[in-house]
Amino acid sequence: MALAISLLPAAANAQDSLRYDMEVRASLSGGENTPFWLANNLQGLGSPRTNSGFVKAGLFRDIDNDRRFSWGAGVSLAGAWRNTSPFYVHELYGEVKYRSLDALLGSKVIKGDFNNPRLSSGNLLYSGNALPIPQLRLGIFDYAPFWGTDGWLSAKGYIAYGMFTDSRWQKSWSAPDSRRTEDVLYHSKGLWLRGGDPGRFPLVGEIGIEMATQFGGHSYKDGERIDMGHGFKKWWHAFFPHSGKEDTHLGDAVSTEGNMLGTYDFSLSWLPDADWSVKAYYQHYFEDQSQMTFEYGWKDGLWGIEAQLPANRVVSAVVVEYLYSKDQTGAVFNNSSPEIPEQISGRDEYYNHFLYSGWQHWGMGIGNPLIISPVYNRDHDLWFRSTRIEAWHLGLEGSPRPDLGYRMLLSYSRNWGTYTKPLPEMMHNFNALLEVSWRPERLRGWEATLGVAGDTGRLLGKSFGVALTISKTGWLNF
């Protein structure tokens, strides 16, 4: 889905220009599903159903970061076949920037810079695997230097509130009497610090925390409806996570109210010059409060190394990652009671929740897709079947010629299910993708990408397929 931005004319940054994107993608496959890397990390437009695809068109006015004041807006519409919906308002937003302050209202594809969006398996909290969530987002979106630090210390952060849009889809897709939700609200916030100035010394470190919460709305299971409420207290409790009170469902009253989850982000980068760099990172995942401190140890997380290499005809970038999520604070769990006053955390069951339909949007997991999304469940049960996994991932890309590029993704995982519902036996999963992109010099802004992919292993079964993507990006100047 790369859009050949480097081939666009110099007018790309002009504030009197509108950028347009057009894309059509079709995949043909045989076996159990569309091959994994032809369906995931596509901003919610991928489908595990075989022989699927989409057509997308968008028009955007981009923020100019070189100006003190700037505004932007965008709309992107998509039609799809053999997907969760035949039509999507994929993006619809307006945004404004003044100095380093930013505000965004609406649905926008937000690509973080902690993980490489093309080569990484995916961020543990926001991977780009699901449709964007409509929200009001305020903060400092790009690093801004602290006063008095001469550029050596910078910070960025945000606060957001929004709403999930998949209530009707959940009602139509989920199995009778299985858990589903309606009118669920969304909250997220993050803060990151960066130390170092690569212009004066090549070592740069980053540390941050990002948290998200599903709250409010209604939960349905076994014919029972539970009202989680939408009042001001719910919004306040989403911002400051803590256990619920007398107006809260029993489960939330003894645990953290809503479905609260997040990550700690750590990275260290070596940036000697513009030609190459090396970045090592670790992302620690937590749910509720048990993994937010060192009380139970930090065994789960995503470790990675990313290398941007000097110009050559073979490989320009490499990402190697290791994901481990088997611990989940251990198998033992007990909430304190008069009979057993000791509280013991455990069985966090990442991405799942006893009231909410989990950390998913329209069936696609919002976090790392190697923890397989509920939309793959053939019994139409909205929960993540295997959250205890160990996985290795390799991503690399290169440009043998100026008009030709490629990308390769290889992932292998071992899966144990969950503590409450373990798999009958450990299941393997192997996913591979080879993608070749052609950007003809005479057809500026056009790109054709052919992807060949396959899966094997008992978790998802065997699949093999191809996908052809044709895209056009350009500018309308006024």
Side-chain angles (χ1 to χ4, degrees), residues 327-354:
D327 181 53
Q328 304 192 16
T329 325
V332 178
F333 173 74
N334 176 66
N335 277 314
S336 59
S337 65
E339 293 78 14
I340 306 177
E342 297 297 328
Q343 190 275 331
I344 302 173
S345 293
R347 295 189 303 188
D348 285 343
E349 199 159 316
Y350 297 159
Y351 295 169
N352 285 320
H353 194 265
F354 58 93

Side-chain angles (χ1 to χ4, degrees), residues 114 195 202-206 266-270 278-282 304 306:
F114 184 78
L203 189 63
V204 175
E206 294 178 271
F266 305 90
S267 72
L268 197 62
S269 301
W270 182 255
V278 177
K279 176 182 177 180
Y281 52 90
Y282 168 62
E306 176 185 351

